[in-house]
Amino acid sequence: MKWIRLFLLSALFLSVPQFMKKEFKLPPIHAGIPANPEWDTPTPSDEILGILDQPFVYFSHGNQSTVFQSEDGQYVLKIFRYRRSLFPIIHDVKNWFKKKPKQNFASKVNKTFNAAHIACTKGRQFTHVIFCHLNLTKDLLPVIQLKAGKTYTVPLDSYRFALQRKVSPFKDTLLAAKDNPEEMKRLIDSFVQLLLDRSALNIRNSDPNLGPNFGFLNGKAVELDFGNYHMIEPNIQIRKDEIENFMNRFEKWLQYNAPEYVKELRLKRMKPYDLQE
């Protein structure tokens, strides 16, 4: 009985933070995170400032960012949203029971910001991230309006974010093209080519999910989720394994949703990948 009471008390204690969560809250500023020269990016152009000169409306949120869509529907603003634990002891206790403990705050921040920097520099052609702001600034960026139930006035100099072109969902786009063989083949070609081109730059994405990670823009594949981007040393086997993992998942999806195009993908997989160190 004593152990049962202890278990119930622990479960209640661990669930307290969940009850304290609000439906929406602006991401924290985290002014205490030190600037890192490796995260510097070029000063925003007049084009970027023009894009930011419009309201952005709440779209979604994930583990790494809160996402807002531009009023013109062409861009998304991903404001990074890591929060320090209000109950660090609880965080440690939870990690004791997990096979894969969560990273601490500093490790998560470094991982995400390094990935974002790759996405808007070396990997820009794959992600269509057109600007990122990873070190806080002063009098560089505009004050904008964010709408989420109510309107928030936000000085972008005080936030870390990535500005990315909005893409069409990966699976929805493919399903819409099922009855158009030429378009479907172009989409498949584009997805395969993205994997090969990214691999050639030794950029790896350790998250193998298809639907949440990819999309299409004007018929070209885009890797919209770059949160697990990282650079690797030139290694043909690692690169080949990652490409094969994505291909396997894509083929499995085609088998269930567009089996008439599985042969098309298999023909591409039969060709040797031109991977060089």
Side-chain angles (χ1 to χ4, degrees), residues 5 17 45 51 55 70 113 131 153 157 173 190 196 210 254 258-259:
R5 287 199 299 267
S45 64
I51 292 170
S70 61
F113 292 175
F131 179 72
T153 301
D157 279 310
T173 303
S190 180
L196 294 173
L210 292 177
L254 286 174

Side-chain angles (χ1 to χ4, degrees), residues 20 69 97 105 133 213:
M20 298 179 66
Q69 179 177 300
F97 295 95
F105 178 80
H133 181 250
N213 287 0

Side-chain angles (χ1 to χ4, degrees), residues 73-131:
Q74 297 185 44
Y75 306 92
V76 291
L77 183 70
K78 297 182 174 179
I79 301 181
F80 298 111
R81 62 183 294 271
Y82 284 131
R83 300 181 186 276
R84 295 184 188 276
S85 175
L86 296 175
F87 302 90
I89 295 178
I90 295 178
H91 175 84
D92 293 339
V93 170
K94 285 183 176 181
N95 270 347
W96 290 343
F97 295 95
K98 293 183 176 180
K99 293 182 180 179
K100 186 178 180 181
K102 290 185 177 181
Q103 294 176 309
N104 61 32
F105 178 80
S107 297
K108 290 191 293 186
V109 165
N110 285 328
K111 174 178 176 292
T112 298
F113 292 175
N114 287 337
H117 190 267
I118 295 171
C120 67
T121 53
K122 297 176 182 177
R124 181 173 180 172
Q125 61 180 305
F126 315 119
T127 65
H128 286 263
V129 173
I130 58 176
F131 179 72

